[in-house]
C-alpha cells in the first residue's frame, strides 16, 4: 500500500517486484518500495531478510533478475556502482569508507576530484567540500585535517558530505547508529531531518525499532526476501513492526525431550570482555539447553569466546564445576568445556588437514598411532553420518554440513560436559541441521549442558529449555522457553539501550 | 552411512601417491638425463659418493627447515648460524675440548640461536621473516667478532673425518648421520603429539588455538629444532672445511629453503615431508654435478637451479588447483 499523500506526485524512487536469485537461493522474492522526495523511509527486517542484497541491487552491484526500478518516473537500470552514483543514489555503510590519511576535503571529493588543465584543482576541492559541510550545518569541521583524526560520528558526517557533494538524491544509511553514542545519534537525527527539509530522500536501515519510530515517515518490512508490509510509521507501534518482521511457522524439525536439570555446570558471573559483552550472567545446568538470542553484533559470540578464554576477560568470573581459574582454551578443554566456532572455515577447522586430524586435535596422546586415530574418527563419522570417502580425507573436500558435523564431533570425541555452540547450523542443509538438533538433544538427555548462540529464532524456540536475550552487550535473564515467542525475543533484542547508558 | 564411492577414493589415492613421489620422480629423471648424456663420468660409485657428500650440509639444514616451514614459519638465519657454530667448534677445539663435546656444544649453540628466534617471534609478536632477517645479520656479525674476522684452523681430529670420502667408495659418515636424523624427525612429525601440533599450527593457527594447542611453547620448540639442525649442518660444514670460518655459508638458507620447497612443502604451512626435502636437496646436487660433468659454466648451473625451484612450485600449485 503506497503512501496516500504522495500518490499524486511521482515518487523519487520506486521499486516494483524486484527479484534476485543466487544459484538456487532466492535472495529477493518480489520487493516493492516507494520513497517520495523529502521522505525518510525506514527499511527493517531480520538478519538474512534480504536488506543487504536489496541495497546492492540499488547500488548497481547486483543486477535484478526481474522487476523494475524507477527514479523520478524514469527507468533506472544501473550498469554498475558508478552509474548508481551518477543517478544520485549514494550509500553510507556501517563500515565507514574513509581514507584516514587524506584530509577532510580530499575525502569529501574522493573519486570526483575537480581538475583544471589535467591538474587537481585544490582550491575547487576545498570550496566544494566547504559547501557540502555548510549544507549539513557543520562548517566547523576543519577541511585540512586528516580524516583519521576525526571521531567516528564526524567521519560519518564526512561520508554524508561526500554524498551531498556528489549531488545525491537518495541517501541510504545502513545501520548508521550502531557505533554512535546516544548524543551523536541525536545529532545524526537532526541532520537527517535537515536533509529531508532540503527535499532529499533518505532510506534508513536499522534494527532498532525505537529509532525507526523516531526518525522515519514511512517504513517497509522485508521478510524472507519479500516486502511483507509498509505504511506510515506514525500509524504503527514497534510491536506491530516486530510482528511483521517474524511470523513464520515452526516446523517439525526440532527435537526436545522432556528432562530435569541437575547441578550447575558453569556459572558466568557479571562477565565483561574488551568491547562486548558489557554485563553477562548465566548459569548452565546439567541436562539443559540454553539459547542466546540477539542481533548480530550484540556480543553473543564475544560472550562465548570470553568464557572459553579465546578473548580477554575484563570483569567478572567464570566457574566451571569447582574451577575458577582464568580460562585459556587449553584449560577449558581440560575442564570439559568445548567450543564450536561460528566461523568454521577460518577458525573452526583446519581445512587442509584430514577429518581424523581435526577431530582428535584436542585429545592427542604423546605418541600418536595414525591407525587408532583413523579408527576413532571412523566411529564418529558413522555415528553422525558424515559423508566422506575415508577419515583421511581433507576437510576442504566435504560439504558445509559435513564439515560442521566434524566440528561438533571434536567436542563429542573429547567428551566435554559443557558445549558452547556458536551458530551451529548456519549455512548448512536441512539434513545436517536435523542431525545436529538430534545430537544436542541426546547430549542434554545424557546430562551435558549446551549453550547455543543462534540468530534463527524458530530454532532456539524449538530446541532450548531456556533462552536469554543479549542486547548491546547486556545479557538479559534466561527465562523458560514457554515464556518466550519470536515477537518477545525480537522486542528484547531491539530494545534501545537501557538506562545504564546514562550512568 | 558413510558410503565410500571407490572412484574418487582411487583418484585421491593416485594424487596422494603423485604428491608423495613427485620429487622422487623428478630426481629419477634428473639422474636419468645426466646418465644418458654422460654415462661414464656421472654413473660411478665415486661420483654418487661425491654428490651425497655435497648434499649433506644442505640436507641437515633442510630437516630442521622442514619442521619450521610446515609450522608456517621461516628461518633466514641458517647460513649465519652455521658460520657462528663452525667458529665456536674451532675455538672449543683450540681450548683442548674433546671433539665430541665440541660438536655437541656446537649443536647446542645452534639450538640456542633457535631459542632466541622462537622467543622473539612469540614474545614480541614479530613475523619470523623479520626476526630471522635481523638475526641473519646479527649472528654473522657475532661469528666475525668471535673469530676476529679470520678463519680458525685447530689441530685435526676425528671430527674432520666426518665428511671425508672413503676409499671403498662409500659415502662419508656425515651422510649417514644426516639420514639417521632425518628418520628420527620424520617419525617425530608423524607419530608424536608435537609433530601433529606442528602441522595443525601451520595449517590453521586459529584452529590450533581453539583446540587448546600451546602455540607459543610449540613455536619456540619448533625454532629450537630448526636451530639444532643448523648446528648439525655446521658440524658437517666444519668437517668439510676442516676449520671454522665466519664467512662461510653465505646464502645457505636460500638453498635450504629451495630444497624444502622443491620437496613439496608449502611456504604457507601445513604441508611438507622430511623425505621430500632431502630429495629436493639431492635434486639440486645432482643438477649441479651433472652440469659440471657436461662442462657447463657455473652461471648456467645457477640459471638451471633457479628454473627448477620455480618449476617445482608451479607444478605443485597446478596440482593443488586441479584438486579444488
Amino acid at each position: 500500500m503506497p503512501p496516500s499523500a504522495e500518490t499524486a506526485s511521482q515518487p523519487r524512487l520506486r521499486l516494483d517486484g524486484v527479484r534476485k536469485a543466487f544459484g538456487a537461493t532466492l535472495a529477493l522474492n518480489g520487493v516493492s518500495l516507494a520513497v517520495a522526495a523529502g521522505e525518510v523511509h525506514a527499511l527493517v527486517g531480520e538478519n538474512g531478510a534480504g536488506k543487504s542484497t536489496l541495497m546492492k541491487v540499488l547500488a548497481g552491484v547486483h543486477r535484478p533478475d526481474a522487476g523494475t526500478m524507477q527514479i523520478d518516473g524514469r527507468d533506472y537500470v544501473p550498469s554498475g556502482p558508478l552509474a548508481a552514483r551518477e543517478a544520485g543514489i549514494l550509500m553510507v555503510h556501517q563500515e565507514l569508507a574513509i581514507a584516514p590519511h587524506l584530509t577532510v576535503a580530499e575525502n569529501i571529493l574522493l573519486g570526483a576530484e575537480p581538475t583544471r588543465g589535467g591538474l587537481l584543482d585544490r582550491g575547487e576541492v576545498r570550496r566544494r567540500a566547504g559547501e557540502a559541510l555548510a549544507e549539513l550545518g557543520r562548517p566547523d569541521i576543519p577541511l585540512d585535517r586528516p580524516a583519521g583524526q576525526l571521531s567516528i560520528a564526524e567521519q560519518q558526517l564526512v561520508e554524508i558530505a561526500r554524498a551531498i557533494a556528489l549531488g545525491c538524491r537518495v541517501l541510504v544509511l545502513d545501520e548508521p547508529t550502531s557505533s554512535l553514542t546516544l548524543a551523536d545519534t541525536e545529532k545524526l537525527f537532526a541532520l537527517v531531518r535537515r536533509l529531508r527539509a532540503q527535499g532529499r530522500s533518505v532510506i534508513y536501515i536499522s534494527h532498532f525499532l525505537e529509532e525507526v519510530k523516531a526518525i522515519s515517515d514511512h517504513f517497509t518490512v522485508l521478510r524472507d526476501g519479500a516486502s511483507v508490509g509498509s505504511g506510515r510509521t506514525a500509524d504503527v507501534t514497534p510491536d506491530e513492526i516486530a510482528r511483521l518482521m517474524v511470523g513464520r511457522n515452526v516446523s517439525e524439525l526440532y527435537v526436545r525431550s522432556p528432562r530435569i536439570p541437575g547441578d550447575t555446570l558453569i556459572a558466568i558471573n557479571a562477565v565483561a570482555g574488551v568491547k562486548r559483552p558489557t554485563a553477562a550472567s548465566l548459569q548452565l545446568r546439567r541436562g539443559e539447553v540454553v539459547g542466546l538470542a540477539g542481533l548480530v553484533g550484540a556480543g553473543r559470540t564475544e560472550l562465548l569466546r570470553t568464557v572459553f578464554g579465546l578473548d580477554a576477560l575484563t570483569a567478572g568470573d567464570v566457574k566451571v564445576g569447582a574451577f575458577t581459574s582464568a580460562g585459556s582454551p587449553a584449560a577449558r578443554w581440560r575442564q570439559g568445556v568445548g567450543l564450536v566456532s561460528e566461523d568454521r572455515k577460518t577458525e573452526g577447522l583446519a581445512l587442509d588437514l584430514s577429518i581424523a586430524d581435526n577431530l582428535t586435535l584436542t585429545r592427542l596422546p604423546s605418541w600418536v598411532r595414525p591407525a587408532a586415530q583413523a579408527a576413532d574418527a571412523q566411529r564418529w563419522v558413522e555415528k553422525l553420518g558424515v559423508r566422506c570417502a575415508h577419515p583421511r580425507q581433507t576437510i576442504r573436500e566435504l560439504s558445509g554440513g559435513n564439515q560442521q558435523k566434524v566440528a561438533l564431533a571434536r567436542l563429542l570425541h573429547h567428551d566435554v560436559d559443557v558445549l558452547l555452540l556458536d551458530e551451529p547450523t548456519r549455512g548448512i542443509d536441512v539434513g545436517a541441521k536435523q542431525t545436529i538438533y538430534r545430537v544436542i538433544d541426546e547430549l542434554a538427555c545424557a546430562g551435558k549442558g549446551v549453550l547455543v548462540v543462534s540468530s534463527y529464532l524458530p530454532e532456539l524456540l524449538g530446541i532450548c529449555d531456556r533462552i536469554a536475550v543479549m542486547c548491546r552487550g547486556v545479557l538479559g535473564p534466561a527465562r523458560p522457553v514457554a515464556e518466550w515467542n519470536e515477537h518477545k525475543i525480537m522486542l528484547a533484542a531491539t530494545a534501545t539501550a537501557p538506562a545504564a547508558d546514562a550512568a | 552411512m558413510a558410503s565410500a564411492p571407490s572412484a574418487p577414493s582411487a583418484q585421491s589415492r593416485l594424487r596422494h601417491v603423485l604428491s608423495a613421489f613427485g620429487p622422487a620422480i623428478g630426481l629419477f629423471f634428473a639422474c636419468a638425463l645426466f646418465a644418458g648424456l654422460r654415462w661414464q663420468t656421472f654413473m660411478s660409485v665415486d661420483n654418487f659418493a661425491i654428490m651425497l657428500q655435497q648434499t649433506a650440509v644442505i640436507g641437515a639444514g633442510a630437516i630442521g627447515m622442514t619442521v619450521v616451514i610446515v609450522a608456517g614459519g621461516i628461518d633466514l638465519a641458517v647460513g649465519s648460524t652455521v658460520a657462528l657454530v663452525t667458529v665456536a667448534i674451532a675455538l672449543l677445539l683450540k681450548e683442548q675440548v674433546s671433539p665430541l663435546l665440541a660438536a655437541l656444544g656446537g649443536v647446542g649453540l645452534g639450538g640456542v640461536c633457535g631459542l632466541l628466534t622462537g622467543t622473539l617471534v612469540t614474545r614480541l609478536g614479530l613475523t619470523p621473516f623479520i626476526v630471522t632477517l635481523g638475526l641473519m645479520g646479527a649472528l654473522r656479525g657475532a661469528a666475525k667478532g668471535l673469530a676476529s674476522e679470520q678463519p680458525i684452523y685447530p689441530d685435526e681430529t676425528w671430527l674432520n673425518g666426518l665428511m671425508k670420502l672413503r676409499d671403498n667408495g662409500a659415502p662419508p659418515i656425515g651422510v649417514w648421520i644426516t639420514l639417521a636424523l632425518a628418520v628420527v624427525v620424520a617419525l617425530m612429525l608423524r607419530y608424536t603429539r608435537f609433530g601433529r601440533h606442528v602441522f595443525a599450527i601451520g595449517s590453521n593457527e586459529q584452529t590450533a588455538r581453539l583446540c587448546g594447542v600451546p602455540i607459543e611453547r610449540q613455536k619456540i620448540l619448533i625454532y629450537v629444532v630448526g636451530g639444532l639442525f643448523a648446528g648439525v649442518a655446521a658440524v658437517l660444514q666444519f668437517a668439510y672445511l676442516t676449520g671454522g670460518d665466519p664467512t662461510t655459508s653465505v646464502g645457505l638458507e636460500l638453498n635450504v629453503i629451495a630444497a624444502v620447497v622443491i620437496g613439496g612443502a608449502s611456504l604457507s604451512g601445513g604441508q611438507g615431508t622430511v623425505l621430500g626435502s632431502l630429495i629436493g636437496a639431492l635434486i639440486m646436487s645432482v643438477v649441479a654435478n651433472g652440469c659440471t660433468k657436461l662442462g657447463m659454466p657455473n652461471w648456467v648451473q645457477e640459471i638451471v637451479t633457479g628454473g627448477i625451484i620455480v618449476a617445482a612450485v608451479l607444478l605443485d600449485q597446478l596440482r593443488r588447483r586441479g584438486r579444488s
Side-chain angles (χ1 to χ4, degrees):
Chain A
M1 176 186 68
S4 56
E6 283 84 1
T7 38
S9 64
Q10 199 69 255
R12 168 62 47 84
L13 174 74
R14 181 196 282 282
L15 271 61
D16 236 334
V18 170
R19 291 162 64 91
K20 176 75 197 172
F22 297 102
T25 20
L26 257 182
L28 295 179
N29 187 15
V31 176
S32 300
L33 182 76
V35 187
E39 175 190 328
V40 177
H41 195 104
L43 188 65
V44 293
E46 287 191 275
N47 301 317
K51 287 174 308 208
S52 33
T53 310
L54 181 63
M55 288 309 108
K56 282 183 180 155
V57 167
L58 205 53
V61 177
H62 296 318
R63 199 172 279 243
D65 300 331
T68 58
M69 298 194 283
Q70 289 183 322
I71 295 179
D72 292 329
R74 264 181 290 169
D75 279 346
Y76 166 62
V77 188
S79 57
L82 213 61
R85 267 169 66 155
E86 279 161 8
I89 296 197
L90 285 126
M91 315 236 158
V92 175
H93 292 283
Q94 197 171 357
E95 303 296 326
L96 297 176
I98 285 284
H101 299 105
L102 298 188
T103 65
V104 167
E106 284 164 343
N107 264 291
I108 291 175
L109 272 296
L110 194 62
E113 293 86 350
T115 55
R116 197 169 50 189
L119 294 173
L120 182 67
D121 187 346
R122 300 186 74 88
E124 180 72 4
V125 168
R126 295 189 83 254
R127 194 183 63 74
R128 282 177 53 190
E131 270 178 21
L133 286 175
E135 213 171 315
L136 295 178
R138 290 298 300 274
D140 55 304
I141 294 184
L143 288 172
D144 298 318
R145 174 159 321 156
Q149 294 178 8
L150 302 180
S151 72
I152 295 289
E154 286 168 333
Q155 290 183 7
Q156 191 180 49
L157 195 99
V158 168
E159 278 221 48
I160 296 174
R162 184 189 293 160
I164 300 298
L166 293 174
C168 116
R169 292 198 276 181
V170 179
L171 177 68
V172 180
L173 296 173
D174 184 7
E175 297 284 349
T177 62
S178 59
S179 46
L180 294 189
T181 64
L182 235 50
D184 283 332
T185 301
E186 279 308 318
K187 281 189 200 158
L188 177 74
F189 283 3
L191 182 69
V192 168
R193 292 191 187 104
R194 195 183 173 102
L195 292 172
R196 174 171 62 188
Q198 292 167 359
R200 300 179 203 272
S201 304
V202 178
I203 294 180
Y204 191 95
I205 301 175
S206 180
H207 276 310
F208 299 108
L209 300 182
E210 273 83 0
E211 279 181 9
V212 166
K213 189 82 179 130
I215 191 67
S216 70
D217 306 310
H218 292 91
F219 70 93
T220 296
V221 179
L222 284 192
R223 191 206 307 151
D224 299 330
S227 39
V228 294
S230 63
R232 287 170 58 88
T233 314
D235 299 343
V236 293
T237 61
D239 266 41
E240 287 165 321
I241 299 178
R243 197 168 303 141
L244 281 170
M245 286 165 68
V246 291
R248 22 177 149 64
N249 297 325
V250 182
S251 72
E252 304 275 299
L253 200 57
Y254 310 107
V255 222
R256 180 175 44 213
S257 312
R259 43 191 179 241
I260 299 154
D263 332 328
T264 299
L265 279 170
I266 186 165
I268 300 165
N269 292 316
V271 160
V274 173
K275 202 163 159 229
R276 294 221 155 136
T278 48
S281 299
L282 183 74
Q283 299 212 333
L284 179 68
R285 294 170 291 181
R286 284 193 179 280
E288 213 180 25
V289 180
V290 174
L292 291 180
L295 301 173
V296 171
R300 299 168 300 165
T301 294
E302 291 81 353
L303 173 60
L304 290 196
R305 297 178 69 85
T306 306
V307 166
F308 195 64
L310 277 169
D311 288 352
L313 180 126
T314 54
D317 62 80
V318 179
K319 270 201 191 72
V320 183
F323 305 98
T324 35
S325 65
S328 70
R332 290 294 181 236
W333 284 109
R334 277 197 300 277
Q335 295 159 6
V337 182
L339 177 97
V340 170
S341 169
E342 66 168 337
D343 191 344
R344 66 175 168 266
K345 283 194 195 314
T346 63
E347 182 176 50
L349 295 164
L351 296 181
D352 288 315
L353 293 189
S354 68
I355 296 171
D357 277 332
N358 269 287
L359 214 151
T360 58
L361 187 53
T362 66
R363 230 187 106 187
L364 286 174
S366 305
W367 297 97
V368 180
R369 290 192 304 122
Q373 208 186 4
D376 279 342
Q378 183 62 34
R379 199 154 48 86
W380 293 111
V381 160
E382 281 166 20
K383 196 147 187 201
L384 298 184
V386 177
R387 294 200 148 268
C388 63
H390 50 87
R392 288 267 155 230
Q393 203 173 0
T394 56
I395 292 285
R396 193 182 287 283
E397 296 169 16
L398 305 184
S399 75
N402 286 310
Q403 290 180 350
Q404 193 68 0
K405 287 181 195 169
V406 175
L408 184 62
R410 180 189 288 149
L411 273 60
L412 304 183
H413 180 64
H414 197 95
D415 196 19
V416 296
D417 280 333
V418 177
L419 294 93
L420 309 175
L421 310 180
D422 199 352
E423 301 282 4
T425 64
R426 181 157 70 193
I428 68 177
D429 58 290
V430 178
K433 276 186 187 174
Q434 217 156 8
T435 306
I436 287 173
Y437 297 144
R438 173 173 60 79
V439 170
I440 290 174
D441 186 59
E442 283 171 10
L443 288 167
C445 289
K448 315 281 191 195
V450 185
L451 195 55
V452 193
V453 165
S454 174
S455 294
Y456 190 57
L457 300 182
E459 167 178 294
L460 286 183
L461 290 167
I463 64 169
C464 295
D465 299 305
R466 290 190 297 153
I467 293 175
V469 179
M470 195 157 219
C471 180
R472 302 198 195 213
V474 179
L475 185 67
R479 297 209 179 90
V481 71
E483 296 178 20
W484 290 108
N485 57 35
E486 288 193 39
H487 178 216
K488 284 184 185 164
I489 293 177
M490 277 313 286
L491 272 185
T494 55
T496 310
D501 223 47
Chain B
M1 275 297 277
S3 58
S6 56
S9 172
Q11 207 180 352
S12 82
R13 203 150 295 182
L14 180 70
R15 275 200 211 102
H16 185 75
V17 166
L18 274 184
S19 71
F21 291 99
I25 294 167
L27 179 62
F28 175 80
F29 276 111
C31 286
L33 176 71
F34 292 117
L37 292 171
R38 286 289 182 280
W39 180 270
Q40 293 295 324
T41 48
F42 186 78
M43 288 301 282
S44 73
V45 173
D46 285 346
N47 193 42
F48 272 87
I50 288 172
M51 286 192 288
L52 287 172
Q53 178 203 33
Q54 288 169 345
T55 310
V57 173
I58 292 177
I63 296 170
M65 188 69 86
T66 304
V67 178
V68 171
I69 286 181
V70 168
I74 194 82
D75 187 353
L76 298 176
V78 171
S80 300
T81 308
V82 167
L84 178 65
V85 172
T86 62
V87 168
I89 293 172
L91 288 174
L92 286 173
L93 288 176
K94 282 223 155 178
E95 296 297 317
Q96 307 303 322
V97 175
S98 81
L100 181 65
L101 280 181
L104 288 178
V107 173
L109 178 59
V112 170
C113 294
L115 181 66
L116 184 61
T117 307
T119 309
L120 288 174
V121 167
T122 53
R123 296 279 181 259
L124 301 185
L126 296 170
T127 59
F129 188 96
I130 297 299
V131 168
T132 58
L133 188 64
L135 282 176
M136 180 169 92
L139 295 178
R140 176 72 62 183
K144 286 178 179 168
L146 202 59
S148 311
E149 308 202 38
Q150 290 294 321
I152 301 166
Y153 293 100
D155 296 335
E156 194 158 327
T157 64
W158 58 262
L159 263 187
N160 304 106
L162 286 181
M163 290 292 274
K164 282 223 176 81
L165 290 168
R166 285 182 289 175
D167 299 335
N168 58 2
I173 299 163
V175 170
W176 298 114
I177 293 175
T178 303
L179 272 178
L181 289 173
V183 170
V184 170
V185 174
L187 292 177
M188 180 193 76
L189 279 179
R190 189 165 161 74
Y191 293 104
T192 66
R193 179 165 52 201
F194 171 69
R196 303 321 297 169
H197 281 180
V198 169
F199 278 93
I201 291 172
S203 185
N204 188 339
E205 192 171 325
Q206 274 188 284
T207 306
R209 193 164 117 83
L210 176 81
C211 289
V213 172
I215 288 175
E216 296 210 340
R217 202 181 71 204
Q218 303 296 51
K219 271 193 177 174
I220 290 175
L221 210 52
I222 283 159
Y223 285 101
V224 167
V225 170
L228 288 174
F229 276 92
V232 172
V235 171
L236 300 181
Q237 182 69 4
F238 173 86
Y240 191 71
L241 298 172
T242 68
D245 183 350
T247 61
T248 187
S249 304
V250 172
L252 175 72
E253 55 277 342
L254 298 183
N255 286 325
V256 170
I257 293 169
V260 174
V261 168
I262 292 173
S266 158
L267 279 183
S268 51
Q271 260 190 336
T273 60
V274 171
L275 180 64
S277 301
L278 287 188
I279 292 175
L282 273 174
I283 288 176
M284 293 204 296
S285 297
V286 166
V287 168
N289 182 284
C291 288
T292 311
K293 292 282 185 283
L294 289 175
M296 287 181 182
N298 226 8
W299 59 269
V300 178
Q301 291 177 28
E302 285 170 15
I303 291 175
V304 171
T305 310
I308 287 175
I309 295 170
V310 175
V313 175
L314 188 69
L315 278 175
D316 194 53
Q317 271 188 4
L318 290 177
R319 184 174 57 78
R320 218 164 295 171
R321 210 170 297 159
R323 188 171 59 187
S324 60

